[in-house]
């Protein structure tokens, strides 16, 4: 069994530096930034020249207080009651996913020593796999709780901020027994305001009266706005099996799909949650399943947005009540719904447009149907308004292919090559990993082209300082590893020792170290080896 907190002397003998390090950057939310690009543009310690030298930096993996089924976040040089520390934050659930009721734990630990500094728990009837987010002022960390609320904690000591009715904690679902928060929390900063974006979906098996929705929370006041994917004209949280058109959106069986009744079961499933694009000033959410149209007899003017990408304002509003700023829905939305091929199995990826592009703002939606859809974010359907079907700029299959039981739920990574300025997209699935480059055709229209493909299964990738990283291998057994790749060729530059079983766990790389958790509740850290003499370069006396 791994130690929960490791003695400083043991770490020193293992050549792990406990000294304070100059921060390069924080990793404040899933995918590094509000666009969930996965690209740490501030990293400069580890690169192609030395990545092959990476070694484990904990003598043994550290046991976490809960199983983190996602990614950690990080803040450097945080003031705590015990001095300044580099902190990792995570949200996890019980060591047994079969336990009922479930316990959710948000926690902070010293990234250098593995020491647990604080934790807070919530309880509920189901588990969740959301990642927390750190506010831009680095004063608070936000996390979903299994009680159905978004919670606000002081970053240094874990004190919860409670401001009462209309403030913190903020309800994000009134039926957490059937509505899950699998997507990570996003903080979008726009117009001088900061918003916490929380999305919901259902649990494995698509059961119950759930409706995916976005809750946008003003960080300063705790005021929130709700946008529902079903019955979007009702800007409120629904109750379980309530009254259609009043406080719920269930209005009958679907004769074409017994598994997805009308008005139910359209979830926002992507690992990144809501995506924010600073260039357009919009947030984007993508749904999977659910009907698309305006047929509900009890909600005149209401609309259902199954298998659709929506563009909204950062405060959660659209162009009118229940109407998004823009939308994209594939022409085959009925087929996607009937065969459980969620368009929104990932979060929208933002692609910087090449110089000279005829389209200024681009996004890619990767679906469970293993198709890539390149979108014009200024006119998502090509018809100048929401609620139309079709209009993608490009439709192409995921390069690594698929098979009958494909699971495509990994968040893509986006990278701009500093050498030639080209934009790259990296797509991972349980069939492999691929690198696609964005280029312009003769008419200056952007198009994605496959440059390389690996057929080894992979988890959500990240990029830092010109190196691509992913957990790769048969990750439901004991043979999963972290790999570092050349992003332009896919050639392997480094492979880690074996990790434990992985589900949706993905790495972060910040301040010269890689952190990843596994399904056993262990935390791994990799970095460059450090001479023993460096441990004492700042007068460190061996005591924590």
């Amino acid at each position: 069994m791994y130690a929960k907190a490791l003695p400083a002397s043991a770490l020193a003998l293992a050549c792990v530096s406990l000294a304070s390090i100059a921060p390069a950057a924080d990793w404040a939310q899933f995918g590094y930034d509000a666009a969930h690009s996965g690209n740490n543009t501030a990293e400069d310690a580890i690169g192609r020249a030395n990545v092959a030298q990476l070694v484990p930096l904990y003598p043994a993996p550290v046991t976490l207080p809960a199983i983190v089924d996602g990614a950690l976040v990080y803040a450097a040089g945080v003031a705590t009651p015990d001095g300044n520390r580099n902190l990792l934050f995570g949200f996890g659930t019980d060591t047994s996913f079969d336990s009922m009721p479930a316990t959710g734990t948000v926690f902070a630990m010293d990234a250098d020593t593995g020491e647990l500094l604080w934790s807070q728990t919530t309880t509920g009837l189901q588990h969740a796999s959301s990642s927390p987010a750190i506010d831009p002022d680095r004063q608070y960390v936000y996390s979903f709780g299994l009680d159905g609320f978004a919670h606000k904690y002081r970053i240094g000591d874990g004190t919860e901020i409670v401001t009462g009715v209309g403030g913190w904690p903020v309800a994000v679902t009134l039926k957490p027994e059937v509505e899950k928060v699998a997507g990570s929390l996003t903080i979008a900063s726009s117009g001088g305001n900061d918003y916490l974006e929380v999305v919901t979906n259902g649990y494995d098996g698509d059961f119950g009266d759930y409706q995916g929705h976005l809750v946008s929370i003003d960080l300063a006041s705790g005021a929130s706005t709700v946008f529902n994917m079903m019955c979007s004209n009702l800007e409120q949280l629904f109750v379980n099996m309530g009254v259609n058109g009043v406080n719920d959106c269930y209005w009958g069986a679907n004769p074409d799909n017994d598994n997805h009744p009308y008005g139910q079961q359209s979830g926002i499933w992507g690992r990144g949650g809501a995506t924010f694009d600073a260039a357009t000033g919009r947030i984007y959410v993508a749904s999977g399943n659910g009907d698309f149209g305006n047929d509900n007899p009890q909600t005149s003017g209401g609309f259902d947005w199954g298998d659709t990408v929506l563009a909204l304002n950062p405060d959660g509003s659209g162009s009118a009540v229940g109407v998004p700023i823009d939308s994209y829905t594939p022409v085959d939305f009925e087929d996607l719904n009937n065969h459980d091929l969620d368009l929104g199995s990932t979060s929208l990826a933002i692609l910087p447009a090449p110089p000279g592009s005829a389209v200024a703002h681009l996004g890619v939606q990767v679906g469970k149907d293993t198709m890539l859809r390149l979108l014009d974010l200024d006119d998502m359907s090509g018809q100048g308004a929401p609620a139309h079907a079709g209009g993608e700029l490009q439709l192409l299959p995921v390069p690594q292919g698929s098979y009958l039981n494909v699971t495509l739920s990994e968040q893509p990574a986006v990278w701009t090559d500093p050498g030639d300025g080209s934009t790259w997209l990296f797509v991972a699935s349980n069939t492999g990993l691929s690198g696609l480059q964005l280029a312009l055709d003769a008419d200056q229209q952007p198009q994605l082209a496959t440059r390389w493909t690996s057929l080894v299964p992979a988890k959500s990738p990240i990029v830092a300082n010109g190196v691509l990283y992913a957990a790769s291998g048969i990750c439901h057994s004991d043979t999963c590893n972290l790999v570092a790749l050349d992003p332009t060729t896919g050639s392997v530059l480094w492979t880690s020792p074996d990790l434990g079983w992985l589900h949706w766990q993905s790495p972060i790389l910040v301040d010269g170290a890689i952190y990843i958790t596994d399904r056993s509740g262990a935390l791994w850290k990799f970095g460059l080896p450090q001479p023993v003499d460096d441990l004492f370069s700042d007068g460190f006396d061996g005591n924590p």
Side-chain angles (χ1 to χ4, degrees):
M1 180 64 67
Y2 301 135
K4 186 171 184 177
L6 302 174
S9 57
L11 291 173
L13 290 174
C15 301
V16 180
S17 175
L18 302 183
S20 190
I21 58 176
D26 295 336
W27 191 293
Q29 51 192 308
F30 181 92
Y32 182 71
D33 49 33
H36 309 307
S37 68
N39 182 15
N40 182 350
T41 56
E43 175 62 30
D44 61 6
I46 301 172
R48 299 189 197 196
N50 59 10
V51 67
Q53 303 173 30
L54 294 180
V55 296
L57 290 186
Y58 294 142
V62 175
T63 296
L64 300 172
I67 296 176
V68 176
D69 195 16
L72 301 170
V73 296
Y74 174 97
V78 175
T80 76
D82 297 320
N84 286 354
R85 305 244 192 155
N86 299 328
L87 298 186
L88 291 167
F89 302 88
F91 174 80
T93 52
D94 310 84
T95 54
S96 171
F97 282 95
D98 298 325
S99 60
M100 296 288 283
T103 299
T105 303
V106 58
F107 61 88
M109 62 193 313
D110 189 308
D112 300 318
T113 68
E115 177 188 359
L116 179 66
L117 298 188
W118 61 259
S119 65
Q120 295 275 15
T121 62
T122 55
T123 58
L125 296 178
Q126 297 283 359
H127 295 270
S129 49
S130 175
S131 294
I134 301 167
D135 75 355
D137 294 330
R138 308 174 79 248
Q139 298 300 306
Y140 303 101
V141 60
Y142 300 85
S143 177
F144 173 68
L146 297 188
D147 54 0
F149 288 80
H151 295 263
K152 178 178 182 178
Y153 305 100
R154 293 193 186 279
I155 194 172
D157 62 13
T159 300
E160 181 168 8
I161 305 302
V162 178
T163 55
V165 178
W168 299 97
V170 179
V172 296
T173 176
L174 300 181
K175 39 186 175 182
E177 67 274 20
V178 293
E179 288 184 345
K180 179 182 181 180
V181 175
S184 299
L185 304 190
T186 301
I187 293 180
S189 299
S190 178
N193 297 312
D194 300 317
Y195 300 94
L196 182 70
E197 317 290 355
V198 189
V199 298
T200 68
N201 60 296
Y203 287 90
D204 291 347
D206 286 334
F207 62 87
D209 178 33
Y210 75 83
Q211 290 84 17
H213 57 268
L214 167 81
V215 179
S216 179
I217 306 169
D218 187 304
L219 293 190
S221 67
S224 62
T225 300
V226 178
F227 195 100
N228 286 299
M229 302 307 288
M230 301 282 101
C231 297
S232 60
N233 63 307
L234 300 178
E235 297 180 333
Q236 64 190 69
L237 298 176
F238 295 148
V239 301
N240 200 6
M241 297 306 296
V243 178
N244 177 41
V246 177
N247 57 8
D248 201 13
C249 189
Y250 166 67
W251 57 281
N254 181 348
D256 297 319
N257 189 340
D258 294 338
N259 294 323
H260 296 294
Y262 289 126
Q264 288 184 337
Q265 302 184 352
S266 179
I268 303 173
W269 300 90
R271 302 295 310 137
T275 298
F276 175 64
D277 181 16
T280 64
R282 299 173 179 177
I283 55 172
Y284 300 88
V285 292
S287 66
N289 295 331
D291 42 301
F292 172 75
N294 190 17
D295 300 322
N296 188 337
Q298 300 301 319
T299 54
S300 176
F303 211 91
D304 293 340
W305 304 93
D307 287 301
T308 294
V309 182
L310 299 184
L312 300 166
N313 293 309
D315 65 1
S317 65
S319 60
V321 174
V323 181
I325 299 171
D326 201 0
S327 70
Y328 164 77
T329 307
V331 293
D332 60 343
F333 61 87
E334 290 183 346
D335 185 66
L336 296 182
N337 185 35
N338 291 336
H339 294 89
D340 196 26
L341 297 173
D342 307 335
L343 174 74
S345 65
T346 67
S347 299
L348 183 78
I350 306 299
L351 296 182
S357 172
V359 180
H361 302 112
L362 295 165
V364 166
Q365 183 61 45
V366 185
K368 191 176 174 183
D369 62 347
T370 67
M371 298 300 292
L372 299 167
R373 294 170 170 89
L374 183 64
L375 306 178
D376 177 354
L377 297 184
D378 295 317
D379 188 4
M380 297 170 71
S381 68
Q383 299 184 63
H388 296 282
E392 65 276 348
L393 301 175
Q394 186 183 16
L395 178 67
L396 69 161
V398 171
Q400 57 264 40
S402 64
Y403 52 79
L404 183 61
N405 295 316
V406 67
T407 1
L408 212 160
S409 55
E410 309 300 336
Q411 184 61 24
V414 178
W415 173 65
T416 300
D417 186 341
D420 60 12
S422 62
T423 297
W424 287 74
L425 177 73
F426 305 104
V427 180
S429 70
N430 64 351
T431 56
L433 180 66
S434 57
L436 299 96
Q437 190 178 30
L438 190 62
L440 300 179
D441 65 15
D443 297 320
Q444 301 301 99
Q445 294 293 323
Q447 296 282 281
L448 285 165
T450 303
R451 299 305 183 205
W452 58 265
T453 300
S454 165
L455 298 182
V456 179
K459 300 297 181 179
S460 299
I462 62 171
V463 187
N465 198 20
V467 180
L468 175 68
Y469 300 86
S472 182
I474 310 300
C475 292
H476 60 268
S477 68
D478 294 328
T479 59
C480 197
N481 307 94
L482 270 177
V483 295
L485 308 170
D486 183 322
T488 63
T489 66
S491 60
V492 176
L493 305 175
W494 168 79
T495 301
S496 77
D498 288 350
L499 305 177
W501 177 30
L502 299 182
H503 185 226
W504 283 326
Q505 290 83 2
S506 55
I508 67 172
L509 195 165
V510 60
D511 275 0
I514 306 173
Y515 303 90
I516 188 170
T517 66
D518 66 26
R519 193 65 181 267
S520 73
L523 169 67
W524 305 72
K525 179 179 180 179
F526 300 94
L528 298 173
Q530 297 170 334
V532 174
D533 289 348
D534 286 355
L535 291 171
F536 308 100
S537 61
D538 69 344
F540 173 65
D541 62 5
N543 296 313

